[in-house]
Amino acid sequence: MTGFIFLDKPKDITSFVAANKLKRILNVKKTGHTGTLDPMATGVLPVMLGGATRFSQYLPTHDKAYRAKILLGTVTDTLDITGTVIKRSKVNVSAERLEEVIKHFIGEISQLPPMYSAVSKDGVRLYKLARQGIEIEREARNVIIHYIKLLDVPDANNEFEIEVSCSAGTYIRSLASDIGEALGCGATIAELRRIEANGISIEKTVTLEAVQKYADEGRIAELITPCDVMLGCYPAVNISEKQAVRFENGGELDLKRIRGEKKDGFCRVYSPEKKFLGLGRISLPENTLFVEKKLVY
């Protein structure tokens, strides 16, 4: 079984555990996922099945979108409500003040990765250091916030909701914390839901329960997206039957005998039967198509 399933990750489990649950349901040897979600977060989690895991590094990087409920007046060590509260403050924030502050976070901004994150420092994940009570200096990174929509103004519990579209690598927990700091009362994430990732919207996702139902009914193929669809950003080339055998054996191919768009870089390679064979790498100076990554079904 090879391809992608777009999972609506449930709350309170890691992305790794979610992918492993799919592995058991579908009885496949290997699964992987793209774009880790925090355990408390839900939403779009593309999961790779079988041979699809070979292509994780080649998937195009897309912008992402989230819906977040933010609690004002509370600061935690993890920047979300699962952490330890380290500060509480009185809240006196009007909707007008909130909207004004939010505007300053739209566009290219500098953001400091949270200590509780998968970012590596000298080969060690930051969250592992954070669990030991160690906080180290981190390098700020530039990210892009395309828009922030205020969906709901602060209620009696000092919670409000936003929708955010941002570049890959953006931490919504850090964004919420920075907004809270700008408001002078602090803030933390109360709920987080990813509604778009890798070009996949939340409407295209399925729950673990739905996957189990489809598997029980023998209809799991209806949920699987082929690898070449996810790699659609690369041009397609068609090769002959003999070339297909050579490609599958790892041999390079002469460009003169290949049909399709030929330009330097990666390309999707198809057999005469339109079977996706994997990714090739074209070198125009060498007039050659090299095998970059074969698809193993």
mmCIF file of all heavy atoms in Angstrom, residues 192-240:
data_model
loop_
_atom_site.group_PDB
_atom_site.id
_atom_site.type_symbol
_atom_site.label_atom_id
_atom_site.label_comp_id
_atom_site.label_asym_id
_atom_site.label_seq_id
_atom_site.Cartn_x
_atom_site.Cartn_y
_atom_site.Cartn_z
ATOM 1 N N LEU A 192 -5.744 24.839 19.127
ATOM 2 C CA LEU A 192 -5.078 25.067 17.847
ATOM 3 C C LEU A 192 -5.516 24.009 16.848
ATOM 4 O O LEU A 192 -5.484 22.815 17.155
ATOM 5 C CB LEU A 192 -3.561 25.029 18.013
ATOM 6 C CG LEU A 192 -2.730 25.333 16.760
ATOM 7 C CD1 LEU A 192 -2.987 26.750 16.275
ATOM 8 C CD2 LEU A 192 -1.238 25.135 17.046
ATOM 9 N N ARG A 193 -5.924 24.471 15.676
ATOM 10 C CA ARG A 193 -6.375 23.561 14.617
ATOM 11 C C ARG A 193 -5.763 23.986 13.290
ATOM 12 O O ARG A 193 -5.932 25.137 12.867
ATOM 13 C CB ARG A 193 -7.895 23.563 14.519
ATOM 14 C CG ARG A 193 -8.462 22.582 13.475
ATOM 15 C CD ARG A 193 -9.927 22.328 13.764
ATOM 16 N NE ARG A 193 -10.575 21.464 12.802
ATOM 17 C CZ ARG A 193 -10.436 20.139 12.762
ATOM 18 N NH1 ARG A 193 -9.635 19.539 13.627
ATOM 19 N NH2 ARG A 193 -11.080 19.402 11.878
ATOM 20 N N ARG A 194 -5.028 23.082 12.664
ATOM 21 C CA ARG A 194 -4.451 23.390 11.355
ATOM 22 C C ARG A 194 -5.497 23.077 10.281
ATOM 23 O O ARG A 194 -6.012 21.956 10.210
ATOM 24 C CB ARG A 194 -3.181 22.575 11.104
ATOM 25 C CG ARG A 194 -2.461 22.991 9.823
ATOM 26 C CD ARG A 194 -0.994 22.599 9.842
ATOM 27 N NE ARG A 194 -0.799 21.165 9.854
ATOM 28 C CZ ARG A 194 0.373 20.576 10.118
ATOM 29 N NH1 ARG A 194 1.422 21.316 10.420
ATOM 30 N NH2 ARG A 194 0.476 19.262 10.110
ATOM 31 N N ILE A 195 -5.785 24.059 9.469
ATOM 32 C CA ILE A 195 -6.841 23.902 8.469
ATOM 33 C C ILE A 195 -6.305 23.793 7.047
ATOM 34 O O ILE A 195 -7.072 23.531 6.116
ATOM 35 C CB ILE A 195 -7.875 25.042 8.561
ATOM 36 C CG1 ILE A 195 -7.205 26.406 8.361
ATOM 37 C CG2 ILE A 195 -8.622 24.992 9.890
ATOM 38 C CD1 ILE A 195 -8.195 27.569 8.308
ATOM 39 N N GLU A 196 -4.987 23.953 6.891
ATOM 40 C CA GLU A 196 -4.388 23.749 5.572
ATOM 41 C C GLU A 196 -2.889 23.492 5.720
ATOM 42 O O GLU A 196 -2.205 24.144 6.510
ATOM 43 C CB GLU A 196 -4.606 24.966 4.672
ATOM 44 C CG GLU A 196 -4.126 24.751 3.242
ATOM 45 C CD GLU A 196 -4.511 25.884 2.317
ATOM 46 O OE1 GLU A 196 -5.390 26.692 2.686
ATOM 47 O OE2 GLU A 196 -3.927 25.973 1.232
ATOM 48 N N ALA A 197 -2.389 22.512 4.950
ATOM 49 C CA ALA A 197 -0.961 22.194 4.945
ATOM 50 C C ALA A 197 -0.650 21.378 3.698
ATOM 51 O O ALA A 197 -1.463 20.549 3.277
ATOM 52 C CB ALA A 197 -0.556 21.410 6.194
ATOM 53 N N ASN A 198 0.524 21.608 3.108
ATOM 54 C CA ASN A 198 0.930 20.891 1.901
ATOM 55 C C ASN A 198 -0.105 20.980 0.787
ATOM 56 O O ASN A 198 -0.273 20.047 -0.003
ATOM 57 C CB ASN A 198 1.237 19.418 2.200
ATOM 58 C CG ASN A 198 2.475 19.246 3.055
ATOM 59 O OD1 ASN A 198 2.355 18.976 4.252
ATOM 60 N ND2 ASN A 198 3.644 19.418 2.481
ATOM 61 N N GLY A 199 -0.821 22.098 0.761
ATOM 62 C CA GLY A 199 -1.833 22.283 -0.270
ATOM 63 C C GLY A 199 -3.124 21.527 0.000
ATOM 64 O O GLY A 199 -4.024 21.497 -0.848
ATOM 65 N N ILE A 200 -3.247 20.925 1.176
ATOM 66 C CA ILE A 200 -4.423 20.125 1.528
ATOM 67 C C ILE A 200 -5.256 20.890 2.551
ATOM 68 O O ILE A 200 -4.749 21.319 3.589
ATOM 69 C CB ILE A 200 -4.013 18.760 2.130
ATOM 70 C CG1 ILE A 200 -3.072 18.020 1.179
ATOM 71 C CG2 ILE A 200 -5.248 17.924 2.443
ATOM 72 C CD1 ILE A 200 -3.630 17.799 -0.209
ATOM 73 N N SER A 201 -6.540 21.051 2.275
ATOM 74 C CA SER A 201 -7.432 21.756 3.192
ATOM 75 C C SER A 201 -8.098 20.771 4.139
ATOM 76 O O SER A 201 -8.157 19.563 3.879
ATOM 77 C CB SER A 201 -8.505 22.524 2.415
ATOM 78 O OG SER A 201 -9.367 21.624 1.748
ATOM 79 N N ILE A 202 -8.611 21.288 5.241
ATOM 80 C CA ILE A 202 -9.218 20.449 6.272
ATOM 81 C C ILE A 202 -10.405 19.656 5.726
ATOM 82 O O ILE A 202 -10.705 18.554 6.201
ATOM 83 C CB ILE A 202 -9.663 21.319 7.487
ATOM 84 C CG1 ILE A 202 -10.017 20.439 8.692
ATOM 85 C CG2 ILE A 202 -10.786 22.258 7.115
ATOM 86 C CD1 ILE A 202 -8.841 19.712 9.303
ATOM 87 N N GLU A 203 -11.065 20.186 4.684
ATOM 88 C CA GLU A 203 -12.223 19.489 4.097
ATOM 89 C C GLU A 203 -11.832 18.156 3.449
ATOM 90 O O GLU A 203 -12.679 17.286 3.259
ATOM 91 C CB GLU A 203 -12.906 20.381 3.062
ATOM 92 C CG GLU A 203 -13.628 21.595 3.635
ATOM 93 C CD GLU A 203 -12.698 22.729 4.011
ATOM 94 O OE1 GLU A 203 -11.540 22.720 3.521
ATOM 95 O OE2 GLU A 203 -13.104 23.618 4.785
ATOM 96 N N LYS A 204 -10.554 17.999 3.121
ATOM 97 C CA LYS A 204 -10.099 16.779 2.450
ATOM 98 C C LYS A 204 -9.560 15.733 3.431
ATOM 99 O O LYS A 204 -9.106 14.671 3.009
ATOM 100 C CB LYS A 204 -9.006 17.122 1.429
ATOM 101 C CG LYS A 204 -9.493 17.981 0.271
ATOM 102 C CD LYS A 204 -8.368 18.258 -0.712
ATOM 103 C CE LYS A 204 -8.859 19.118 -1.880
ATOM 104 N NZ LYS A 204 -7.756 19.427 -2.837
ATOM 105 N N THR A 205 -9.627 16.023 4.715
ATOM 106 C CA THR A 205 -9.077 15.095 5.696
ATOM 107 C C THR A 205 -10.124 14.104 6.190
ATOM 108 O O THR A 205 -11.332 14.305 6.014
ATOM 109 C CB THR A 205 -8.505 15.854 6.909
ATOM 110 O OG1 THR A 205 -9.559 16.578 7.565
ATOM 111 C CG2 THR A 205 -7.413 16.822 6.477
ATOM 112 N N VAL A 206 -9.639 13.039 6.801
ATOM 113 C CA VAL A 206 -10.519 12.026 7.392
ATOM 114 C C VAL A 206 -10.030 11.723 8.809
ATOM 115 O O VAL A 206 -8.850 11.878 9.117
ATOM 116 C CB VAL A 206 -10.537 10.723 6.572
ATOM 117 C CG1 VAL A 206 -11.262 10.922 5.260
ATOM 118 C CG2 VAL A 206 -9.126 10.199 6.328
ATOM 119 N N THR A 207 -10.934 11.288 9.651
ATOM 120 C CA THR A 207 -10.575 10.925 11.018
ATOM 121 C C THR A 207 -10.058 9.489 11.061
ATOM 122 O O THR A 207 -10.252 8.707 10.121
ATOM 123 C CB THR A 207 -11.792 11.042 11.944
ATOM 124 O OG1 THR A 207 -12.786 10.091 11.504
ATOM 125 C CG2 THR A 207 -12.371 12.456 11.914
ATOM 126 N N LEU A 208 -9.421 9.136 12.175
ATOM 127 C CA LEU A 208 -8.973 7.754 12.353
ATOM 128 C C LEU A 208 -10.155 6.792 12.347
ATOM 129 O O LEU A 208 -10.066 5.676 11.813
ATOM 130 C CB LEU A 208 -8.213 7.625 13.676
ATOM 131 C CG LEU A 208 -6.784 8.183 13.705
ATOM 132 C CD1 LEU A 208 -6.263 8.231 15.134
ATOM 133 C CD2 LEU A 208 -5.860 7.348 12.824
ATOM 134 N N GLU A 209 -11.266 7.246 12.899
ATOM 135 C CA GLU A 209 -12.472 6.396 12.924
ATOM 136 C C GLU A 209 -12.974 6.136 11.505
ATOM 137 O O GLU A 209 -13.403 5.017 11.179
ATOM 138 C CB GLU A 209 -13.562 7.066 13.759
ATOM 139 C CG GLU A 209 -13.272 7.143 15.250
ATOM 140 C CD GLU A 209 -12.281 8.229 15.617
ATOM 141 O OE1 GLU A 209 -12.024 9.121 14.772
ATOM 142 O OE2 GLU A 209 -11.746 8.191 16.748
ATOM 143 N N ALA A 210 -12.912 7.158 10.660
ATOM 144 C CA ALA A 210 -13.354 6.997 9.271
ATOM 145 C C ALA A 210 -12.424 6.049 8.518
ATOM 146 O O ALA A 210 -12.883 5.208 7.726
ATOM 147 C CB ALA A 210 -13.412 8.352 8.574
ATOM 148 N N VAL A 211 -11.135 6.171 8.773
ATOM 149 C CA VAL A 211 -10.173 5.265 8.124
ATOM 150 C C VAL A 211 -10.465 3.823 8.520
ATOM 151 O O VAL A 211 -10.451 2.915 7.677
ATOM 152 C CB VAL A 211 -8.722 5.645 8.507
ATOM 153 C CG1 VAL A 211 -7.740 4.608 7.960
ATOM 154 C CG2 VAL A 211 -8.363 7.022 7.964
ATOM 155 N N GLN A 212 -10.728 3.603 9.798
ATOM 156 C CA GLN A 212 -11.055 2.252 10.272
ATOM 157 C C GLN A 212 -12.303 1.722 9.573
ATOM 158 O O GLN A 212 -12.351 0.557 9.157
ATOM 159 C CB GLN A 212 -11.274 2.277 11.786
ATOM 160 C CG GLN A 212 -11.568 0.908 12.391
ATOM 161 C CD GLN A 212 -10.372 -0.015 12.349
ATOM 162 O OE1 GLN A 212 -9.372 0.224 13.024
ATOM 163 N NE2 GLN A 212 -10.467 -1.063 11.541
ATOM 164 N N LYS A 213 -13.310 2.570 9.407
ATOM 165 C CA LYS A 213 -14.558 2.171 8.753
ATOM 166 C C LYS A 213 -14.305 1.785 7.292
ATOM 167 O O LYS A 213 -14.786 0.749 6.813
ATOM 168 C CB LYS A 213 -15.577 3.300 8.837
ATOM 169 C CG LYS A 213 -16.956 2.972 8.260
ATOM 170 C CD LYS A 213 -17.925 4.117 8.523
ATOM 171 C CE LYS A 213 -19.336 3.765 8.049
ATOM 172 N NZ LYS A 213 -19.414 3.618 6.577
ATOM 173 N N TYR A 214 -13.541 2.629 6.581
ATOM 174 C CA TYR A 214 -13.224 2.333 5.177
ATOM 175 C C TYR A 214 -12.423 1.037 5.066
ATOM 176 O O TYR A 214 -12.637 0.240 4.148
ATOM 177 C CB TYR A 214 -12.446 3.487 4.553
ATOM 178 C CG TYR A 214 -13.306 4.580 3.972
ATOM 179 C CD1 TYR A 214 -13.985 5.473 4.784
ATOM 180 C CD2 TYR A 214 -13.443 4.723 2.589
ATOM 181 C CE1 TYR A 214 -14.769 6.478 4.267
ATOM 182 C CE2 TYR A 214 -14.229 5.728 2.044
ATOM 183 C CZ TYR A 214 -14.888 6.610 2.892
ATOM 184 O OH TYR A 214 -15.678 7.598 2.359
ATOM 185 N N ALA A 215 -11.497 0.830 6.006
ATOM 186 C CA ALA A 215 -10.688 -0.392 5.980
ATOM 187 C C ALA A 215 -11.561 -1.620 6.212
ATOM 188 O O ALA A 215 -11.417 -2.643 5.527
ATOM 189 C CB ALA A 215 -9.591 -0.309 7.035
ATOM 190 N N ASP A 216 -12.497 -1.527 7.168
ATOM 191 C CA ASP A 216 -13.390 -2.649 7.462
ATOM 192 C C ASP A 216 -14.280 -2.990 6.271
ATOM 193 O O ASP A 216 -14.649 -4.156 6.063
ATOM 194 C CB ASP A 216 -14.274 -2.317 8.672
ATOM 195 C CG ASP A 216 -13.487 -2.221 9.969
ATOM 196 O OD1 ASP A 216 -12.348 -2.725 10.007
ATOM 197 O OD2 ASP A 216 -14.003 -1.621 10.935
ATOM 198 N N GLU A 217 -14.604 -1.977 5.486
ATOM 199 C CA GLU A 217 -15.480 -2.171 4.323
ATOM 200 C C GLU A 217 -14.711 -2.479 3.043
ATOM 201 O O GLU A 217 -15.303 -2.632 1.977
ATOM 202 C CB GLU A 217 -16.338 -0.921 4.112
ATOM 203 C CG GLU A 217 -17.303 -0.634 5.262
ATOM 204 C CD GLU A 217 -18.012 0.704 5.107
ATOM 205 O OE1 GLU A 217 -17.653 1.464 4.168
ATOM 206 O OE2 GLU A 217 -18.912 1.001 5.920
ATOM 207 N N GLY A 218 -13.380 -2.561 3.143
ATOM 208 C CA GLY A 218 -12.563 -2.851 1.969
ATOM 209 C C GLY A 218 -12.518 -1.724 0.962
ATOM 210 O O GLY A 218 -12.300 -1.954 -0.232
ATOM 211 N N ARG A 219 -12.682 -0.491 1.425
ATOM 212 C CA ARG A 219 -12.750 0.669 0.532
ATOM 213 C C ARG A 219 -11.608 1.649 0.759
ATOM 214 O O ARG A 219 -11.679 2.803 0.368
ATOM 215 C CB ARG A 219 -14.081 1.403 0.742
ATOM 216 C CG ARG A 219 -15.327 0.566 0.485
ATOM 217 C CD ARG A 219 -16.562 1.254 1.044
ATOM 218 N NE ARG A 219 -16.666 2.631 0.549
ATOM 219 C CZ ARG A 219 -17.284 3.606 1.224
ATOM 220 N NH1 ARG A 219 -17.808 3.362 2.419
ATOM 221 N NH2 ARG A 219 -17.350 4.812 0.720
ATOM 222 N N ILE A 220 -10.522 1.183 1.375
ATOM 223 C CA ILE A 220 -9.460 2.106 1.762
ATOM 224 C C ILE A 220 -8.830 2.802 0.566
ATOM 225 O O ILE A 220 -8.314 3.922 0.673
ATOM 226 C CB ILE A 220 -8.391 1.366 2.598
ATOM 227 C CG1 ILE A 220 -7.582 2.375 3.417
ATOM 228 C CG2 ILE A 220 -7.496 0.505 1.735
ATOM 229 C CD1 ILE A 220 -8.363 3.111 4.444
ATOM 230 N N ALA A 221 -8.861 2.158 -0.600
ATOM 231 C CA ALA A 221 -8.266 2.763 -1.802
ATOM 232 C C ALA A 221 -8.901 4.113 -2.127
ATOM 233 O O ALA A 221 -8.265 4.984 -2.728
ATOM 234 C CB ALA A 221 -8.398 1.817 -2.990
ATOM 235 N N GLU A 222 -10.146 4.300 -1.688
ATOM 236 C CA GLU A 222 -10.843 5.564 -1.960
ATOM 237 C C GLU A 222 -10.216 6.737 -1.207
ATOM 238 O O GLU A 222 -10.414 7.895 -1.580
ATOM 239 C CB GLU A 222 -12.322 5.436 -1.574
ATOM 240 C CG GLU A 222 -13.082 4.402 -2.380
ATOM 241 C CD GLU A 222 -14.530 4.243 -1.906
ATOM 242 O OE1 GLU A 222 -15.084 5.240 -1.388
ATOM 243 O OE2 GLU A 222 -15.076 3.129 -2.033
ATOM 244 N N LEU A 223 -9.464 6.446 -0.151
ATOM 245 C CA LEU A 223 -8.877 7.502 0.670
ATOM 246 C C LEU A 223 -7.434 7.811 0.307
ATOM 247 O O LEU A 223 -6.871 8.790 0.798
ATOM 248 C CB LEU A 223 -8.928 7.114 2.154
ATOM 249 C CG LEU A 223 -10.303 6.873 2.773
ATOM 250 C CD1 LEU A 223 -10.141 6.531 4.254
ATOM 251 C CD2 LEU A 223 -11.209 8.082 2.601
ATOM 252 N N ILE A 224 -6.823 6.987 -0.537
ATOM 253 C CA ILE A 224 -5.395 7.113 -0.813
ATOM 254 C C ILE A 224 -5.132 7.999 -2.034
ATOM 255 O O ILE A 224 -5.708 7.795 -3.098
ATOM 256 C CB ILE A 224 -4.753 5.732 -1.006
ATOM 257 C CG1 ILE A 224 -4.885 4.909 0.281
ATOM 258 C CG2 ILE A 224 -3.288 5.868 -1.407
ATOM 259 C CD1 ILE A 224 -4.347 3.503 0.178
ATOM 260 N N THR A 225 -4.280 8.973 -1.847
ATOM 261 C CA THR A 225 -3.836 9.850 -2.931
ATOM 262 C C THR A 225 -2.478 9.356 -3.423
ATOM 263 O O THR A 225 -1.549 9.190 -2.624
ATOM 264 C CB THR A 225 -3.712 11.310 -2.447
ATOM 265 O OG1 THR A 225 -5.012 11.781 -2.067
ATOM 266 C CG2 THR A 225 -3.145 12.206 -3.538
ATOM 267 N N PRO A 226 -2.333 9.110 -4.737
ATOM 268 C CA PRO A 226 -1.068 8.600 -5.270
ATOM 269 C C PRO A 226 0.094 9.571 -5.053
ATOM 270 O O PRO A 226 -0.096 10.786 -4.963
ATOM 271 C CB PRO A 226 -1.356 8.435 -6.772
ATOM 272 C CG PRO A 226 -2.844 8.346 -6.870
ATOM 273 C CD PRO A 226 -3.375 9.227 -5.770
ATOM 274 N N CYS A 227 1.302 9.036 -5.006
ATOM 275 C CA CYS A 227 2.505 9.838 -4.768
ATOM 276 C C CYS A 227 2.689 10.925 -5.814
ATOM 277 O O CYS A 227 3.054 12.057 -5.487
ATOM 278 C CB CYS A 227 3.740 8.942 -4.763
ATOM 279 S SG CYS A 227 3.813 7.814 -3.364
ATOM 280 N N ASP A 228 2.461 10.576 -7.087
ATOM 281 C CA ASP A 228 2.752 11.559 -8.138
ATOM 282 C C ASP A 228 1.818 12.760 -8.079
ATOM 283 O O ASP A 228 2.174 13.846 -8.545
ATOM 284 C CB ASP A 228 2.720 10.913 -9.521
ATOM 285 C CG ASP A 228 1.427 10.195 -9.826
ATOM 286 O OD1 ASP A 228 0.799 9.665 -8.900
ATOM 287 O OD2 ASP A 228 1.029 10.154 -11.006
ATOM 288 N N VAL A 229 0.645 12.587 -7.481
ATOM 289 C CA VAL A 229 -0.253 13.731 -7.311
ATOM 290 C C VAL A 229 0.369 14.729 -6.336
ATOM 291 O O VAL A 229 0.345 15.948 -6.570
ATOM 292 C CB VAL A 229 -1.635 13.272 -6.803
ATOM 293 C CG1 VAL A 229 -2.512 14.477 -6.452
ATOM 294 C CG2 VAL A 229 -2.324 12.412 -7.860
ATOM 295 N N MET A 230 0.962 14.232 -5.272
ATOM 296 C CA MET A 230 1.592 15.102 -4.284
ATOM 297 C C MET A 230 2.891 15.722 -4.804
ATOM 298 O O MET A 230 3.385 16.705 -4.261
ATOM 299 C CB MET A 230 1.872 14.334 -3.000
ATOM 300 C CG MET A 230 0.622 13.907 -2.258
ATOM 301 S SD MET A 230 -0.356 15.323 -1.677
ATOM 302 C CE MET A 230 0.679 15.944 -0.349
ATOM 303 N N LEU A 231 3.438 15.134 -5.863
ATOM 304 C CA LEU A 231 4.675 15.641 -6.459
ATOM 305 C C LEU A 231 4.392 16.379 -7.764
ATOM 306 O O LEU A 231 5.272 16.538 -8.612
ATOM 307 C CB LEU A 231 5.634 14.471 -6.721
ATOM 308 C CG LEU A 231 6.084 13.687 -5.482
ATOM 309 C CD1 LEU A 231 6.786 12.393 -5.886
ATOM 310 C CD2 LEU A 231 6.992 14.526 -4.604
ATOM 311 N N GLY A 232 3.180 16.844 -7.898
ATOM 312 C CA GLY A 232 2.735 17.471 -9.138
ATOM 313 C C GLY A 232 3.445 18.763 -9.507
ATOM 314 O O GLY A 232 3.273 19.263 -10.622
ATOM 315 N N CYS A 233 4.246 19.310 -8.606
ATOM 316 C CA CYS A 233 4.986 20.542 -8.906
ATOM 317 C C CYS A 233 6.132 20.286 -9.884
ATOM 318 O O CYS A 233 6.670 21.230 -10.480
ATOM 319 C CB CYS A 233 5.531 21.167 -7.635
ATOM 320 S SG CYS A 233 6.682 20.106 -6.737
ATOM 321 N N TYR A 234 6.501 19.003 -10.049
ATOM 322 C CA TYR A 234 7.599 18.672 -10.948
ATOM 323 C C TYR A 234 7.054 18.293 -12.323
ATOM 324 O O TYR A 234 6.015 17.622 -12.422
ATOM 325 C CB TYR A 234 8.420 17.512 -10.382
ATOM 326 C CG TYR A 234 8.969 17.780 -9.004
ATOM 327 C CD1 TYR A 234 8.570 17.026 -7.906
ATOM 328 C CD2 TYR A 234 9.896 18.807 -8.796
ATOM 329 C CE1 TYR A 234 9.074 17.282 -6.634
ATOM 330 C CE2 TYR A 234 10.399 19.069 -7.524
ATOM 331 C CZ TYR A 234 9.983 18.300 -6.450
ATOM 332 O OH TYR A 234 10.473 18.568 -5.193
ATOM 333 N N PRO A 235 7.743 18.672 -13.401
ATOM 334 C CA PRO A 235 7.271 18.330 -14.745
ATOM 335 C C PRO A 235 7.307 16.824 -14.972
ATOM 336 O O PRO A 235 8.072 16.096 -14.323
ATOM 337 C CB PRO A 235 8.256 19.059 -15.670
ATOM 338 C CG PRO A 235 9.492 19.255 -14.836
ATOM 339 C CD PRO A 235 8.997 19.453 -13.434
ATOM 340 N N ALA A 236 6.475 16.350 -15.894
ATOM 341 C CA ALA A 236 6.387 14.920 -16.202
ATOM 342 C C ALA A 236 7.116 14.601 -17.502
ATOM 343 O O ALA A 236 7.074 15.379 -18.456
ATOM 344 C CB ALA A 236 4.930 14.498 -16.306
ATOM 345 N N VAL A 237 7.794 13.458 -17.514
ATOM 346 C CA VAL A 237 8.421 12.955 -18.739
ATOM 347 C C VAL A 237 7.983 11.511 -18.936
ATOM 348 O O VAL A 237 7.669 10.800 -17.976
ATOM 349 C CB VAL A 237 9.961 13.044 -18.689
ATOM 350 C CG1 VAL A 237 10.419 14.489 -18.568
ATOM 351 C CG2 VAL A 237 10.537 12.196 -17.564
ATOM 352 N N ASN A 238 7.969 11.103 -20.190
ATOM 353 C CA ASN A 238 7.568 9.741 -20.545
ATOM 354 C C ASN A 238 8.742 9.019 -21.180
ATOM 355 O O ASN A 238 9.454 9.589 -22.024
ATOM 356 C CB ASN A 238 6.388 9.775 -21.509
ATOM 357 C CG ASN A 238 5.168 10.444 -20.899
ATOM 358 O OD1 ASN A 238 4.471 9.864 -20.084
ATOM 359 N ND2 ASN A 238 4.922 11.691 -21.282
ATOM 360 N N ILE A 239 8.934 7.779 -20.782
ATOM 361 C CA ILE A 239 10.056 7.007 -21.300
ATOM 362 C C ILE A 239 9.555 5.704 -21.938
ATOM 363 O O ILE A 239 8.404 5.302 -21.729
ATOM 364 C CB ILE A 239 11.088 6.701 -20.191
ATOM 365 C CG1 ILE A 239 10.459 5.871 -19.063
ATOM 366 C CG2 ILE A 239 11.657 8.002 -19.639
ATOM 367 C CD1 ILE A 239 11.444 5.515 -17.945
ATOM 368 N N SER A 240 10.423 5.062 -22.711
ATOM 369 C CA SER A 240 10.050 3.834 -23.409
ATOM 370 C C SER A 240 10.053 2.646 -22.458
ATOM 371 O O SER A 240 10.503 2.750 -21.305
ATOM 372 C CB SER A 240 11.030 3.579 -24.551
ATOM 373 O OG SER A 240 12.316 3.259 -24.026
#
